[in-house]
Amino acid sequence: MHDKTLTELKAGLANGEYSSRELTEHFLARIKQFDGELNSFITVTEEQALAQADAADQAIAAGQAGLLTGLPIAHKDIFCTEGVRTSCGSKMLDSFIAPYTATVVEKMAAEGAVMLGKTNMDEFAMGSSNETSWYGAVKNPWDLERVPGGSSGGAAACLGARLAPAATGTDTGGSIRQPAALNNVTGLKPTYGRVSRWGMIAFASSLDQAGPMGQSAEDCALMLQAMAGHDHRDSTSLNEKVDDYLGALNEDISGLTIGIPEEFFPATLDGAIADNSRAAIRELEKLGAKVVSVSLPSIKLSVPAYYVIAPAEASSNLSRFDGVRFGHRCDDPQDLEDLYKRSRSEGFGDEVKRRILVGTYALSAGYYDAYYRRAQQVRRLIRDDFARAFEKVDVLMGPTAPETAFKLGAKKDDPVSMYMADVFTIGVNLAGLPALSMPTGFINGLPTGTQVIGNYFREGQILNVAHKYQQATDWHRQLPAFGGEQ
């Protein structure tokens, strides 16, 4: 059953080929058997999952099935889940039991989804390799000596190994798309505000966005149909009509114009990475799409602008973790200052501390205009570049990541090199656009992905493009040797 997509599993449930309980037990057994090596889950909610599966079977029998009824799904451990630990991959929140449920989890549960557990992640979503988690590094199922990407590395790895058929992730600078590319799965970052952030622990509030991760674009469309929509509890949630993402999947792409930003294919890019993406684009040309070259001249500034804006917002968001109200609290504090210092020093890891320091500096008196304000001005230039490009094209395409999965520990002591793993994805977050990564081939047995970027609220179009590509190819069907007989 684990070699089927979420959509295929949904059809099997409807046809009575298996029950939700059987399906859930199958994936729970795989997690027990294989996740000891992979480390993709922080918490497995077996008892709750089986109870939800039994309820789903009753709903199906009564003809009351929702979009996701009976389908097992994993949630990134950044989404609050009432009564279940929500750690954000940090010692700071290791003991935090959320008193409420995030909107994303709530909406998917309302459609009948079964929660298998909470997936591992870079601490507070800060990282591109899933090595900053307090619970240890996640391994890539295609090579256990390599990283799965981050920060949604646990979600991507468990999907790649087929320990779950689908998962939720979050994307602040590429944290859905980059790990999706490195694990041969499909991941979608929606338009900023398309999916509620309520109950999603904040990293950088103007950049964070929840999204679906699955085996295929069709799976992502199914999940987004359940996740998307306005939420009055989230002030950044946009009150825009939710499109029929599933209905748009099979639209003809003849006449679609694909823009190829020259900045996404620099001379320094690995030739094999470029070749795989260009081959994907040629496949879409065979289906009737047109290809033109475009330029995003300010995109080269996206990484430095991001690493001022995101740490600045993080330094503000993470100030709430002070050892007083919730989270880690140091033993025997001498006074309030000692409580603050030791609780935060003990609770946060090195990468989180680094970003808090950078962000606090950028916001400090005398430096705000020189750094934070200037970075926001660059952000507007990047957004304007995308706007001009979308006057000429329907979607933009290029590699998702500049390299395949690198060895565990290879970049841990070189933060700048690590930051460049998101060089092709960060601009999308700064502009607030939707983008999807889809599997488009392998290099030396390691997956690569190609990114499809759309205009605001055009998730249906990029899902359509990816679905048409996946109907013509089978890269997304390839499975790693890890995980036993497939």
Side-chain angles (χ1 to χ4, degrees):
M1 288 187 281
H2 54 268
D3 60 348
K4 297 181 184 296
T5 67
L6 189 73
T7 314
E8 290 166 347
L9 291 174
K10 177 180 169 72
L13 281 171
N15 294 334
E17 295 172 22
Y18 36 76
S19 67
S20 176
R21 187 178 183 92
E22 289 171 332
L23 191 57
T24 302
E25 286 177 337
H26 176 76
F27 282 103
L28 287 170
R30 285 185 62 77
I31 293 167
K32 284 181 182 177
Q33 183 177 358
F34 298 114
D35 201 51
E37 281 188 273
L38 209 59
N39 197 32
S40 64
F41 280 84
I42 291 174
T43 302
V44 178
T45 53
E46 180 174 1
E47 187 175 323
Q48 178 178 325
L50 292 174
Q52 290 176 335
D54 289 341
D57 285 330
Q58 292 175 10
I60 292 169
Q64 298 173 341
L67 271 176
L68 302 171
T69 296
L71 296 173
I73 288 171
H75 289 295
K76 186 176 180 178
D77 203 20
I78 197 170
F79 295 103
C80 287
T81 43
E82 185 176 357
V84 178
R85 176 174 59 178
T86 301
S87 73
C88 226
S90 178
K91 179 181 179 181
M92 180 62 79
L93 291 177
D94 180 53
S95 61
F96 177 61
I97 307 298
Y100 64 96
T101 296
T103 298
V104 164
V105 178
E106 194 176 78
K107 285 173 77 80
M108 296 182 81
E111 292 292 345
V114 173
M115 184 175 82
L116 292 171
K118 310 288 289 293
T119 57
N120 206 342
M121 56 179 285
D122 279 302
E123 185 181 11
F124 284 100
M126 299 182 195
S128 302
S129 65
N130 220 135
E131 294 175 287
T132 70
S133 171
W134 190 65
Y135 302 93
V138 177
K139 315 298 193 305
N140 190 312
W142 292 90
D143 182 343
L144 296 178
E145 295 183 356
R146 294 179 184 271
V147 304
S151 63
S152 305
C158 82
L159 294 185
R162 303 310 197 253
L163 306 189
T168 56
T170 63
D171 194 310
T172 305
S175 290
I176 286 176
R177 292 161 288 151
Q178 184 250 15
L182 270 50
N183 290 271
N184 207 52
V185 300
T186 305
L188 171 69
K189 174 228 172 282
T191 303
Y192 181 78
R194 175 75 288 180
V195 175
S196 173
R197 294 189 303 112
W198 194 80
M200 188 177 96
I201 296 171
F203 161 20
S205 300
S206 74
L207 299 163
D208 298 341
Q209 185 58 69
M213 302 176 74
Q215 314 300 347
S216 67
E218 190 174 21
D219 290 355
C220 288
L222 178 64
M223 293 174 70
L224 185 64
Q225 204 73 61
M227 295 165 69
H230 180 248
D231 180 7
H232 67 89
R233 297 171 296 188
D234 174 10
S235 62
T236 62
S237 175
L238 298 171
N239 194 4
E240 292 279 337
K241 181 178 73 72
V242 176
D243 294 334
D244 180 2
Y245 303 119
L246 291 165
L249 286 174
N250 289 304
E251 289 183 5
D252 187 6
I253 63 167
S254 295
L256 179 94
T257 304
I258 300 171
I260 311 301
E262 58 190 50
E263 293 80 6
F264 284 5
F265 291 90
T268 54
L269 180 65
D270 183 327
I273 295 274
D275 289 346
N276 282 3
S277 285
R278 291 193 187 280
I281 293 163
R282 285 196 297 273
E283 196 67 44
L284 292 168
E285 282 187 283
K286 293 178 188 176
L287 298 174
K290 297 182 295 182
V291 175
V292 299
S293 180
V294 297
S295 180
L296 304 170
S298 300
I299 202 76
K300 63 181 181 292
L301 302 172
S302 60
V303 173
Y306 174 89
Y307 280 102
V308 171
I309 295 168
E313 295 183 9
S315 74
S316 175
N317 281 325
L318 271 60
S319 64
R320 71 193 69 177
F321 303 111
D322 54 11
V324 176
R325 288 160 289 187
F326 51 84
H328 175 73
R329 184 186 180 102
C330 68
D331 294 330
D332 303 318
Q334 302 304 306
D335 52 32
L336 188 62
E337 184 176 352
D338 184 50
L339 171 68
Y340 287 162
K341 284 183 177 178
R342 287 203 289 126
S343 295
R344 288 170 67 81
S345 295
E346 294 166 9
F348 291 137
D350 289 345
E351 182 60 27
V352 174
K353 291 174 185 174
R354 182 182 293 118
R355 298 201 194 191
I356 290 172
L357 287 169
V358 169
T360 303
Y361 179 81
L363 293 176
S364 61
Y367 296 100
Y368 179 92
D369 287 340
Y371 293 104
Y372 187 72
R373 186 185 296 276
R374 183 63 61 87
Q376 291 287 20
Q377 290 169 337
V378 170
R379 182 180 192 171
R380 182 54 186 258
L381 293 176
I382 292 168
R383 180 183 173 182
D384 289 348
D385 281 352
F386 276 113
R388 280 189 289 271
F390 281 118
E391 290 175 359
K392 305 173 185 174
V393 303
D394 297 304
V395 299
L396 299 168
M397 290 183 66
T400 305
E403 59 186 329
T404 55
F406 46 88
K407 292 275 190 178
L408 288 158
K411 300 188 179 187
K412 203 168 182 184
D413 296 323
D414 185 359
V416 174
S417 176
M418 184 77 79
Y419 298 163
M420 294 307 292
D422 297 324
V423 65
F424 296 138
T425 55
I426 281 174
V428 166
N429 297 82
L430 291 170
L433 293 163
L436 173 148
S437 178
M438 60 185 184
T440 50
F442 293 81
I443 300 172
N444 298 323
L446 296 172
T448 65
T450 295
Q451 186 174 207
V452 185
I453 305 169
N455 211 342
Y456 299 108
F457 302 107
R458 300 307 300 271
E459 288 85 0
Q461 186 170 56
I462 60 177
L463 285 162
N464 172 218
V465 170
H467 180 62
K468 286 294 188 180
Y469 174 78
Q470 290 177 341
Q471 285 182 317
T473 63
D474 67 351
W475 296 119
H476 64 294
R477 292 282 188 180
Q478 305 303 308
L479 302 175
F482 179 83
E485 283 298 318
Q486 305 294 347

